[in-house]
Amino acid sequence: MTHFGKTTARLRRGTMAAALLLAAALPAQAAQGARTSHRHGDENDWLYVTVTHGDTRSGDTRGTLLRCDPPQGHSHATLACDQLRSARGDIRFIPHKDDVLCSMIYAPVTVQARGQWQGRAIDYTETFANQCVMEARTGDVFALDA
């Protein structure tokens, strides 16, 4: 019985040591992978963005493909890509423009962005009370000129 207990204790120590070695190696591999994907990730960063004014069933919809390496797709592509990079591709985290005063007129605007950002699928849809509120909340991502 004593022999079995010592063997089990050795096995546990060996398993723990192997787990610690593996845990130490994973962050280095993950960091290297993150650097590689970040360096080459921009070429795969793209969003198809649409803006619909009015009722989504019968409204006026405009859309374009926004690519970020190099920035292209609409006249504000460079600013939009910079804002998306700072928000890590999450439109909800683009800094809001707090110094903008918008009217309280209800003229709904629905925006949608679908695509890929640094290997992640993006699917974002939101309806804003009007164009001014949409621009204040989403920066230049949906600034599609007529």
Side-chain angles (χ1 to χ4, degrees):
M1 199 102 167
T2 305
H3 178 68
F4 181 73
K6 288 180 183 176
T7 303
T8 303
R10 285 185 194 141
L11 184 59
R12 285 185 183 156
R13 282 194 302 262
T15 303
M16 287 175 54
L20 287 173
L21 286 172
L22 181 61
L26 286 177
Q29 289 175 349
Q32 183 174 352
R35 283 192 299 269
T36 302
S37 67
H38 180 70
R39 183 173 44 232
H40 299 293
D42 288 349
E43 61 198 42
N44 294 321
D45 295 344
W46 63 273
L47 296 175
Y48 186 75
V49 296
T50 61
V51 177
T52 302
H53 293 271
D55 186 349
T56 56
R57 291 170 286 164
S58 61
D60 172 33
T61 300
R62 291 191 172 92
T64 191
L65 180 64
L66 172 63
R67 298 181 70 79
C68 289
D69 188 31
Q72 56 187 339
H74 58 70
S75 60
H76 303 279
T78 300
L79 292 171
C81 290
D82 288 345
Q83 291 165 356
L84 283 164
R85 281 186 195 102
S86 71
R88 296 187 176 136
D90 193 335
I91 296 166
R92 296 170 298 155
F93 294 121
I94 291 175
H96 297 178
K97 296 176 185 174
D98 293 328
D99 59 344
V100 175
L101 295 176
C102 296
S103 70
M104 294 180 65
I105 296 172
Y106 185 71
V109 178
T110 301
V111 296
Q112 185 174 50
R114 289 186 177 171
Q116 180 174 305
W117 194 267
Q118 294 184 348
R120 290 178 301 131
I122 302 295
D123 188 1
Y124 170 84
T125 303
E126 190 165 351
T127 300
F128 297 94
N130 57 49
Q131 173 106 14
C132 178
V133 175
M134 181 267 299
E135 290 172 356
R137 298 285 190 254
T138 62
D140 292 289
V141 174
F142 298 99
L144 306 180
D145 295 333

